Amino acid sequence: MHPLIKEVILSKEKIDERTKIVAKQVTEHYRSQKIGDEPIVLVGFLKGCVPFMGNFLENFELNCQTEYMLISSYGSNIKSSGKPEILLDLRIPIENRHILIVEDIIDTGITLDFMVNYFRMQNPKSVKIITMLDKVTAHKVDIKADWKCFDVEDQFLVGMGLDVNERFRNLPYVAVVDVEKLATWKW
Ligand code: IMP
Ligand code: MG
């Protein structure tokens, strides 16, 4: 294991198992809304959403289309700049569409809050949120995921799409970074 990895907190098996369960709940929700064949617009924020989006898609049973946006809210470091900026926008109109945001992790919640408001201004039929991880004690705004796989502590995590300095996104598990080592780490 890489020396910057302190502890694995979620194995691939655990994530897969839980994603299956939650994807079923999401499927049931939209089924109960009787939206018919209308494709749900799944929106992922690059780059962190990719592994979880893949995992979720495998288990989501309804008609959907996948769209991606690029939002910057973090610098290259482990602290949020708190000012989300849309670097790559949607290229479809979302008026009257059902939007499901597929997020990797909620930390301060600032990015999601900003994005939910941004979508709402465009008059979609609904905006829902599913997140793989939720740092509940780190929220700085009042935002709640409609579905989540795991609550996690307020620690800096990598793997399953999460990075530090663009590394570790490909780890097939979620792990805690050794922030003491990171402070003086030479890449
Ligand atoms: P928020 O706006 O503070 O909620 O941060 C949202 C984004 O910051 C997430 O979608 C991630 O891309 C990134 N982020 C938050 N916490 C972590 C972490 O522990 N590791 C890696 N990226 C994170
Ligand atoms: Mg993200």
Side-chain angles (χ1 to χ4, degrees):
M1 209 174 285
H2 194 281
L4 280 178
I5 303 292
K6 199 154 102 180
E7 185 196 355
V8 175
I9 56 165
L10 293 166
S11 67
K12 174 94 179 103
E13 292 70 35
K14 223 172 153 181
I15 297 165
D16 288 354
E17 185 191 7
R18 178 76 186 137
T19 305
K20 250 191 197 124
I21 294 169
V22 179
K24 201 160 190 79
Q25 293 169 354
V26 181
T27 303
E28 291 311 319
H29 163 77
Y30 286 106
R31 269 206 185 115
S32 75
Q33 299 297 299
K34 308 230 181 313
I35 62 171
D37 275 346
E38 185 187 330
I40 295 156
V41 183
L42 307 190
V43 181
F45 305 137
L46 297 170
K47 308 166 194 168
C49 72
V50 173
F52 180 59
M53 177 69 97
N55 222 343
F56 179 76
L57 279 174
E58 278 178 23
N59 295 286
F60 188 59
E61 296 172 23
L62 302 178
N63 249 348
C64 60
Q65 72 184 74
T66 53
E67 302 294 336
Y68 297 92
M69 296 176 74
L70 182 60
I71 322 287
S72 81
S73 59
Y74 271 73
S76 57
N77 220 321
I78 63 170
K79 279 217 119 158
S80 172
S81 69
K83 279 191 213 86
E85 206 184 320
I86 297 170
L87 303 180
L88 195 75
D89 206 343
L90 290 175
R91 299 177 70 177
I92 54 153
I94 57 164
E95 187 171 353
N96 268 320
R97 304 293 304 270
H98 290 284
I99 306 297
L100 176 60
I101 300 171
V102 182
E103 186 54 310
D104 49 3
I105 187 166
I106 307 178
D107 183 0
T108 62
I110 291 170
T111 311
L112 259 188
D113 186 52
F114 177 84
M115 291 312 301
V116 167
N117 288 329
Y118 179 74
F119 292 146
R120 289 234 163 93
M121 284 189 300
Q122 300 173 58
N123 298 316
K125 265 189 199 143
S126 68
V127 181
K128 297 273 180 198
I129 301 165
I130 175 171
T131 187
M132 175 173 67
L133 307 173
D134 192 358
K135 292 186 190 171
V136 238
T137 62
H139 291 197
K140 288 191 178 146
V141 290
D142 185 20
I143 189 127
K144 221 173 152 270
D146 296 278
W147 300 276
K148 61 172 123 174
C149 292
F150 303 97
D151 281 335
V152 290
E153 282 173 41
D154 188 7
Q155 292 171 302
F156 202 77
L157 305 171
V158 289
M160 283 297 293
L162 301 174
D163 75 301
V164 61
N165 204 17
E166 294 298 330
R167 305 288 191 95
F168 305 124
R169 292 193 197 273
N170 57 327
L171 296 180
Y173 48 79
V174 174
V176 180
V177 172
D178 188 329
V179 281
E180 264 168 45
K181 273 190 201 159
L182 180 66
T184 56
W185 192 257
K186 300 268 180 290
W187 292 99

